Amino acid sequence: MSRNDKSSGGKMSGRQGGGERKKSYSRGNAPVKKNTEAKEKSKSSSASDGIRLNKYIANAGVCSRRDADIYISSGNVTVNGKTVTEMGYKVQLNDDVKFDGRSLNPEKPEYFLLNKPKGFFTTGSVVKGGRTVMDIMGKASKSKLDPVGKLDTQAMGLLLFTNDGTLAKSLAKPKNGIRQIYHLELNKVLSQEDLEKIREGVFVDRTKLIVQDVSYVTDRPKNEVGLEIKSIKPHIVQKLFKTLGYEIVKMDRVVYGGLTKKDLPRGHYRSLTQQELINLKNL
């Protein structure tokens, strides 16, 4: 036997392949435990299987799982355009699930009220380094929250956030309107004559704008006024006063659809109470 056929000590070397090669458990070669493989496979399979339809409906806030089964069997639910009456039916998160024709969100609906500070954009900032309201609301929820309506960058006050698209669309429809009260500071004293004009209705963008109320703020200079309005058209309050020759120096929305700033400091947010949510949905 040649020198190359043996390793030191006369034993066959695994490198020469002269005998049965021992398994190496060096880095990267360790055996995979079967139970770990099974768990991973089960986890992957579970994720691809989707979630039960009744749970999807319950997560959307429509009703309990038990009631969802009743509605499913009654034909109230469609998945991707087809009526589903099968118990235990599973859906994917990207499926189009509708209850009585209304699209559902599989995430639990969430509702937050922010007391917006001045200088924050409501939507994506077009100014380099500009701050948006999502810089404040980003940690409020794992769900994607959207503001309902807008507030100008320099405006302050109440702004509603939710992942409930149905409610958001309902509140954002101009024809519906929603009660809002603003505390405004103008660049000059509002004359009594112009105060009366606003009460009677001023033409803005060729349409007569009717406000619910306008008055001077008690114990404040007469360039500070309170305005109650239901119109949610963009920049409508600014346009109203600009039509009469005034500029708004400070704008603070203090009431929105019955929601108030009570116990909500500037730059902070809170969840809506169940009663506040009921009131909003009944507007």
Side-chain angles (χ1 to χ4, degrees):
M1 187 177 290
S2 68
R3 183 176 181 181
N4 291 333
D5 291 332
K6 290 185 178 182
S7 61
S8 60
K11 295 182 180 179
M12 298 298 296
S13 169
R15 290 188 179 182
Q16 280 77 45
E20 184 179 353
R21 186 175 180 177
K22 294 183 178 180
K23 294 181 180 180
S24 171
Y25 289 169
S26 61
R27 183 181 301 174
N29 295 323
V32 179
K33 293 181 180 180
K34 291 184 178 180
N35 62 341
T36 302
E37 289 180 335
K39 286 181 180 179
E40 290 299 323
K41 185 176 180 180
S42 175
K43 185 177 181 180
S44 174
S45 174
S46 177
S48 62
D49 285 344
I51 62 174
R52 291 173 65 97
L53 183 55
N54 62 353
K55 181 179 179 181
Y56 186 108
I57 295 171
N59 287 352
V62 175
C63 57
S64 67
R65 290 194 195 185
R66 181 177 296 180
D67 288 341
D69 283 334
I70 296 174
Y71 289 121
I72 292 170
S73 62
S74 299
N76 295 74
V77 182
T78 63
V79 179
N80 299 326
K82 296 182 179 180
T83 301
V84 173
T85 57
E86 175 188 342
M87 293 296 102
Y89 187 89
K90 291 188 176 182
V91 295
Q92 301 297 321
L93 292 179
N94 58 353
D95 283 337
D96 180 21
V97 180
K98 292 184 178 180
F99 179 84
D100 286 345
R102 176 170 63 90
S103 293
L104 301 183
N105 184 341
E107 296 178 322
K108 180 181 179 181
E110 295 183 283
Y111 310 87
F112 295 92
L113 186 66
L114 168 69
N115 187 349
K116 176 185 173 296
K118 183 178 180 179
F120 282 76
F121 291 85
T122 302
T123 54
S125 172
V126 295
V127 179
K128 186 176 181 180
R131 298 173 297 177
T132 74
V133 289
M134 295 316 299
D135 291 329
I136 302 174
M137 299 299 300
K139 295 182 179 180
S141 170
K142 293 182 179 179
S143 300
K144 184 181 181 300
L145 300 173
D146 291 309
V148 178
K150 296 181 180 179
L151 271 181
D152 286 350
T153 307
Q154 298 308 310
M156 303 175 288
L158 300 180
L159 189 58
L160 180 67
F161 288 80
T162 184
N163 60 347
D164 184 345
T166 301
L167 178 64
K169 288 179 181 178
S170 175
L171 295 176
K173 288 182 180 178
K175 66 177 183 179
N176 291 348
I178 187 167
R179 180 174 178 254
Q180 305 161 82
I181 297 179
Y182 291 92
H183 178 184
L184 306 171
E185 182 179 331
L186 308 177
N187 63 330
K188 58 183 178 180
V189 170
L190 178 67
S191 69
Q192 185 66 42
E193 180 183 358
D194 286 337
L195 183 71
E196 294 302 327
K197 285 182 181 179
I198 295 174
R199 283 175 176 165
E200 294 171 4
V202 176
F203 279 88
V204 178
D205 293 337
R206 299 182 181 181
T207 302
K208 191 173 185 179
L209 177 63
I210 302 298
V211 305
Q212 278 54 56
D213 194 15
V214 61
S215 62
Y216 298 113
V217 176
T218 305
D219 298 328
R220 300 294 297 173
K222 292 190 180 299
N223 68 326
E224 293 189 34
V225 296
L227 178 74
E228 182 177 342
I229 190 172
K230 284 192 173 181
S231 175
I232 56 174
K233 292 181 179 179
H235 315 296
I236 192 66
V237 177
Q238 293 90 331
K239 289 179 179 179
L240 167 62
F241 284 92
K242 188 174 182 179
T243 299
L244 297 173
Y246 299 86
E247 290 185 8
I248 297 176
V249 177
K250 179 181 177 182
M251 183 175 184
D252 191 1
R253 184 156 66 185
V254 297
V255 171
Y256 179 80
L259 303 172
T260 72
K261 298 196 306 175
K262 183 179 179 182
D263 299 326
L264 186 60
R266 192 82 68 197
H268 289 68
Y269 60 85
R270 65 170 177 81
S271 298
L272 296 193
T273 66
Q274 190 61 37
Q275 187 58 55
E276 287 174 331
L277 181 57
I278 292 172
N279 294 342
L280 266 185
K281 290 186 174 182
N282 288 333
L283 291 177

